[in-house]
Amino acid sequence: MTSLRRQLSSSIDLSKLKNQRAKAGEQYIPTDVEQIANVITHALWIVPSLVGLFWMQTKSQSQAEIITTFVYGVSLICLFTVSTIFHTVSFTKRSGVLKNFFHIGDRAVIYIFIASSYTPWLMLKDFGGAEITSMWIVWTMAVLGILYQYIFHEQYKWLETLFYLIIGVCPAWCVMHMADPSGVFELAVGGMTYIAGVIFFKCDGIIPFAHAIWHCFVMTGATFHFYAINTYLIGVKQVESSQGMHV
Ligand SMILES: [Zn+2]
């Protein structure tokens, strides 16, 4: 009976599912089950993203809608594909140039994805002429984030997280001021989902499967935003703006 209890307690020992936290400047090494979970949780969304891009393209009614849904749809596919490749390479190769290349790519594509998530709103909603400036700011921040990632990869992890939060949250101020506020609620819920997920993004080595849980938050946030874009932006006649980018 005692031995059975010991076996049961060891089989539910969650600490064995994770490794030690990474030291400063080093990458966390996931356990094998964590690696598999990391691959599965984003690989599952590659095909739905392709279908989503096709769906948005067929639903688009104007040139602006076609362009913006293409940018958003392709970034969605890139996010899940680059992430899946990185985690697969990380699991099979474990070290080397290829793993490092895709790790930088995995982090860099997040900046592109955040900018792409704002692009449909900035292109298709009326901001009284502020949309072009906002678009420049968002994409400039994304480029700076990618450069930071390339130059200082894994060196200042707290700064990386701060950059994600700045580029993710600051443009929301602009979106809150659009003439027609429809879709803001879903946009905010999606944004809050990403922010909540960042907690797990920072918990490698503390919570088992923390990175796979972060992936799940990304999938959920993307689903809210995909729903909002399809419900409020494309295939729907927007309020025309004399200074907007409606085509
Ligand atoms: Zn990942």
Side-chain angles (χ1 to χ4, degrees):
M1 190 65 189
T2 313
S3 130
L4 180 65
R5 199 177 297 136
R6 203 174 292 139
Q7 275 179 15
L8 274 171
S9 67
S10 73
S11 67
I12 55 168
D13 184 359
L14 294 178
S15 68
K16 288 183 179 172
L17 297 172
K18 64 177 180 62
N19 281 328
Q20 292 288 317
R21 268 182 81 67
K23 292 179 186 140
E26 290 181 6
Q27 289 176 27
Y28 170 71
I29 309 293
T31 59
D32 284 355
V33 280
E34 284 184 315
Q35 298 266 32
I36 292 165
N38 292 344
V39 173
I40 291 172
T41 44
H42 268 180
L44 278 174
W45 287 85
I46 295 174
V47 172
S49 299
L50 281 161
V51 174
L53 171 63
F54 180 73
W55 169 259
M56 289 188 291
Q57 288 286 286
T58 50
K59 205 181 164 203
S60 293
Q61 290 181 345
S62 68
Q63 195 183 339
E65 290 183 11
I66 290 169
I67 294 169
T68 194
T69 53
F70 182 78
V71 170
Y72 179 67
V74 168
S75 80
L76 205 56
I77 295 164
C78 284
L79 179 83
F80 293 124
T81 306
V82 173
S83 173
T84 302
I85 293 172
F86 161 62
H87 288 297
T88 305
V89 169
S90 176
F91 187 34
T92 53
K93 300 269 183 193
R94 293 175 188 266
S95 63
V97 178
L98 200 62
K99 181 190 169 188
N100 209 35
F101 174 78
F102 279 109
H103 194 209
I104 293 172
D106 180 56
R107 296 297 159 85
V109 83
I110 295 174
Y111 292 106
I112 295 172
F113 181 68
I114 295 171
S116 303
S117 296
Y118 277 113
T119 298
W121 302 89
L122 295 173
M123 259 187 104
L124 300 173
K125 285 273 194 177
D126 177 13
F127 292 86
E131 46 270 46
I132 295 174
T133 310
S134 305
M135 191 90 84
W136 271 104
I137 292 171
V138 168
W139 279 97
T140 303
M141 286 164 76
V143 170
L144 290 176
I146 292 166
L147 283 174
Y148 163 79
Q149 195 60 236
Y150 181 73
I151 299 166
F152 299 109
H153 181 58
E154 289 292 300
Q155 285 186 38
Y156 310 103
K157 292 185 182 182
W158 62 271
L159 202 56
E160 175 192 75
T161 309
L162 188 65
F163 280 168
Y164 285 141
L165 290 173
I166 288 171
I167 187 178
V169 173
C170 288
W173 181 86
C174 183
V175 171
M176 295 291 177
H177 291 80
M178 52 196 181
D180 166 24
S182 59
V184 163
F185 177 73
E186 286 85 348
L187 197 60
V189 171
M192 295 303 288
T193 307
Y194 288 130
I195 291 170
V198 170
I199 296 166
F200 293 93
F201 181 71
K202 301 302 295 174
C203 280
D204 281 335
I206 299 174
I207 301 169
F209 298 103
H211 196 83
I213 296 170
W214 149 248
H215 280 185
C216 292
F217 274 87
V218 171
M219 292 181 319
T220 310
T223 304
F224 277 118
H225 283 183
F226 182 82
Y227 168 81
I229 288 167
N230 277 275
T231 306
Y232 302 104
L233 290 182
I234 56 170
V236 181
K237 185 77 178 157
Q238 297 297 317
V239 178
E240 292 294 334
S241 162
S242 57
Q243 294 174 297
M245 292 184 66
H246 298 273
V247 178

